[in-house]
């Protein structure tokens, strides 16, 4: 059974940094692409970033490009999101999601909340 | 800047059929966008319903189906039930490793 557990959220001031983690289990993590998707309070879902299974390819939404960095450690079955230069509009629940291999997100974690506020 | 469009809200009667759509602000949606659909109830993580236009995810009831209707992707719920009342999101693969979510449709069953 696929399990994705995010952690690392919290309150940070504008301009600050935060690193999110996602612990994966129940599937072959080292063979799976992974995504981060976020949802601002009361708003819709927004795709943030993707990483290929072997880190050979990464892509980012324009809204986070140059500020956020996705990475992974296949030896630890873990996915990360380093967030720098945070802005109030980055306030959201951040989900990690497993790529299903057909350009879709086939499993989701429960999310970790990031609040950017003075 | 390309935007993925969805109806903000929709209403269906119990047992009725409803079709939600997913379009592009410029251009048509095709199977090459690999449309996928997600259901989200308040306070819960999204649940994957459909991928690759019309392939149901594991465990999804067969009352949910996907298609391309004209220039849009579509999610049809046939025989709506009370617990189908949720937010529904489509996602399009835009190429170049970019995915775009629609703004979501709030479905009311009453």
């Amino acid at each position: 059974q696929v399990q994705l557990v995010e952690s690392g959220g919290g309150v940070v001031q504008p301009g600050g940094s935060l690193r999110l983690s996602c612990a994966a289990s129940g599937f072959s993590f080292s063979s799976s692409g992974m995504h981060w998707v976020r949802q601002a309070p009361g708003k819709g879902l927004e795709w943030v970033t993707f990483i290929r299974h072997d880190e050979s390819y990464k892509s980012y939404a324009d809204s986070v490009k140059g500020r956020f960095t996705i990475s992974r450690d296949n030896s630890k079955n873990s996915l990360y999101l380093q967030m720098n230069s945070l802005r109030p509009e980055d306030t959201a629940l951040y989900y990690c999601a497993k790529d299903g291999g057909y350009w879709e997100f086939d499993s989701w974690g429960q999310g970790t909340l990031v609040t950017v506020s003075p | 800047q390309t935007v993925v469009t969805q109806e903000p809200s929709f209403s269906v009667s119990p047992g009725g059929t409803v079709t939600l759509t997913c379009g592009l602000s410029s251009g048509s949606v095709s199977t090459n966008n690999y449309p996928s659909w997600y259901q989200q109830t308040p306070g819960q993580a999204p649940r994957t319903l459909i991928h690759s236009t019309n392939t149901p995810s594991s465990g999804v009831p067969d009352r949910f189906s996907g298609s391309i209707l004209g220039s849009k992707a579509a999610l049809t719920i046939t025989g709506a039930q009370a617990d189908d009342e949720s937010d529904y999101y489509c996602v399009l693969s835009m190429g170049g490793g970019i995915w775009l979510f629609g703004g979501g449709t709030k479905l009311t069953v009453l």
Side-chain angles (χ1 to χ4, degrees):
Chain A
Q1 181 180 353
V2 173
Q3 191 167 12
L4 300 168
V5 180
E6 302 93 337
S7 60
V11 180
V12 61
Q13 292 188 339
S17 298
L18 212 55
R19 188 194 196 209
L20 307 184
S21 300
C22 172
S25 61
F27 66 101
S28 177
F29 180 76
S30 60
S31 300
S32 299
M34 297 294 296
H35 302 262
W36 287 98
V37 174
R38 68 184 181 182
Q39 186 168 34
K43 302 296 184 182
L45 297 162
E46 179 188 15
W47 172 79
V48 176
T49 180
F50 165 76
I51 186 169
R52 202 170 274 172
H53 66 96
D54 59 359
E55 289 197 278
S56 62
Y57 181 82
K58 303 176 185 180
S59 56
Y60 299 89
D62 285 345
S63 57
V64 306
K65 198 175 296 182
R67 301 187 299 122
F68 289 13
T69 302
I70 190 172
S71 63
R72 63 192 296 160
D73 186 338
N74 287 344
S75 69
K76 295 182 179 179
N77 284 357
S78 292
L79 176 72
Y80 306 103
L81 182 64
Q82 178 66 44
M83 303 186 296
N84 298 331
S85 302
L86 282 161
R87 305 166 179 168
E89 56 265 36
D90 295 318
T91 293
L93 187 63
Y94 284 75
Y95 294 101
C96 74
K98 173 179 169 291
D99 188 89
Y102 295 96
W103 293 269
E104 91 284 16
F105 319 108
D106 74 351
S107 300
W108 300 72
Q110 288 301 307
T112 186
L113 182 62
V114 172
T115 303
V116 184
S117 178
Chain B
Q1 183 179 350
T2 301
V3 175
V4 177
T5 61
Q6 294 185 249
E7 298 88 359
S9 62
F10 230 116
S11 182
V12 63
S13 300
T17 295
V18 62
T19 297
L20 312 181
T21 67
C22 174
L24 283 170
S25 56
S26 57
S28 298
V29 176
S30 76
T31 55
N32 291 330
N33 294 118
Y34 299 92
S36 55
W37 291 89
Y38 305 84
Q39 178 190 49
Q40 188 182 37
T41 53
Q44 298 296 314
R47 170 196 183 193
T48 308
L49 295 176
I50 300 285
H51 70 82
S52 304
T53 304
N54 56 14
T55 303
S57 293
S58 177
V60 173
D62 59 9
R63 65 179 182 275
F64 292 93
S65 62
S67 64
I68 297 287
L69 288 181
S71 62
K72 297 182 179 183
L75 174 72
T76 299
I77 307 173
T78 304
Q81 300 182 1
D83 60 2
D84 295 336
E85 186 161 293
S86 301
D87 294 326
Y88 292 86
Y89 294 92
C90 70
V91 174
L92 301 179
S93 171
M94 303 304 295
I98 302 298
W99 285 258
L100 287 181
F101 276 89
T105 296
K106 184 177 183 63
L107 181 67
T108 301
V109 180
L110 54 76

